[in-house]
Amino acid sequence: MFTTGFKFFFGIGMALATGAVFYGYTTGGNHMGPLSMGWKGGIGEHLGYSLLLGLGVTAMTVALFLVFFRDADPAAQAHYMGVEQIPTNSLVTASFWPVVGAFAVGTMAIGLVLHTAVFVTGLVVCGVVAIEWLMDGWADRATGDPEANRALRNRVMAPIEIPALGAAIVALGVLATSRILLATSKLGSVVVAGVVSVLILGIAVLFARKTRINKNILAGSVLLLAVAVLVGGIVATVTGERDFHPHEVHDAPHGTDTGEGH
């Protein structure tokens, strides 16, 4: 009933969840806080508890995917894909996730020196790389047909990747832009906001008009804008916000007629 892959990842998930509860109680958690995720009491040190619990939930989610698709068993996949028989030779495709993972680890190392936000960003990217690389390896051994493997992987991961990627892009864009605006001067923030808005509008108009412009040029322009905003946000986060001078309200001098009370 339960596949080998399910047992492996579910066991890891339970171990991480148990570790999160233990970590919560040993770092100041009280009552039922670590067991109820903070609903009935404190959970202790938030970062470590959240990381352990998040990794545990991720491992359990992977376990559910594996048992649902029977660990990519050829007979089950043939039934799932609507064919009588599929090749069983394993072909490993090229993957760029190791490169992304290397950059994520480097980002974590830089974040230890520069800022906590940079470290957390690298940590999140490492988690994404682990899941994506794992699913690539799972799909590669499903059949001997690369096209069938790709279709199988997309049917499983596309409903998760597309909304998650869209939400991540919007969140990172808004966060990075806000950091840039807060780090620049009042006039500079207006200029930055205007330039970014014009660039976004221009790219959107090009897409809407469906001109014969090369798709690679459009993709490169979007990627360049995204990288520029992200790098600017990281630099602005490290630099810090500009000095804000709140307006002070001075009381009227004693004896001065303020025009009230008449």
Side-chain angles (χ1 to χ4, degrees):
M1 180 178 179
F2 296 115
T3 62
T4 303
F6 172 85
K7 296 175 182 178
F8 177 72
F9 283 101
F10 189 79
I12 291 178
M14 287 299 297
L16 288 169
T18 304
V21 173
F22 180 78
Y23 183 81
Y25 278 118
T26 55
T27 56
N30 52 46
H31 302 294
M32 296 292 292
L35 291 173
S36 62
M37 294 183 289
W39 185 42
K40 294 291 185 179
I43 62 173
E45 201 273 318
H46 288 69
L47 180 59
Y49 177 84
S50 301
L51 288 176
L52 288 171
L53 187 61
L55 290 173
V57 171
T58 301
M60 293 181 190
T61 303
V62 173
L64 292 177
F65 274 115
L66 290 177
V67 75
F68 183 76
F69 293 102
R70 310 308 302 171
D71 285 3
D73 178 68
Q77 299 306 327
H79 175 73
Y80 175 73
M81 299 178 67
V83 296
E84 294 183 359
Q85 186 176 3
I86 53 179
T88 57
N89 296 327
S90 298
L91 298 175
V92 179
T93 58
S95 177
F96 61 88
W97 291 115
V99 179
V100 179
F103 277 104
V105 172
T107 302
M108 291 175 60
I110 295 173
L112 291 174
V113 179
L114 295 180
H115 198 276
T116 305
V118 180
F119 174 80
V120 173
T121 300
L123 187 63
V124 171
V125 175
C126 279
V128 173
V129 169
I131 296 174
E132 293 287 349
W133 201 358
L134 175 69
M135 296 307 296
D136 283 352
W138 168 77
D140 282 341
R141 71 183 182 90
T143 74
D145 185 0
E147 293 296 329
N149 293 345
R150 189 178 301 110
L152 177 62
R153 182 197 178 281
N154 290 338
R155 292 186 68 174
V156 175
M157 293 301 295
I160 301 174
E161 291 174 337
I162 294 176
L165 180 61
I169 291 175
V170 172
L172 287 176
V174 171
L175 181 61
T177 304
S178 67
R179 295 300 95 190
I180 295 173
L181 298 179
L182 290 174
T184 55
S185 63
K186 296 174 66 175
L187 179 60
S189 62
V190 174
V191 173
V192 171
V195 170
V196 172
S197 301
V198 169
L199 290 176
I200 294 176
L201 178 62
I203 294 174
V205 169
L206 289 176
F207 273 110
R209 289 177 58 87
K210 296 182 180 180
T211 56
R212 294 184 178 180
I213 188 170
N214 193 318
K215 292 183 178 180
N216 293 330
I217 296 177
L218 286 176
S221 301
V222 174
L223 180 61
L224 183 62
L225 176 61
V227 171
V229 172
L230 183 60
V231 172
I234 293 175
V235 174
T237 300
V238 175
T239 303
E241 300 178 2
R242 67 175 183 267
D243 295 329
F244 290 90
H245 303 286
H247 296 287
E248 296 182 359
V249 180
H250 298 283
D251 295 333
H254 181 69
T256 301
D257 186 5
T258 60
E260 299 180 357
H262 296 286

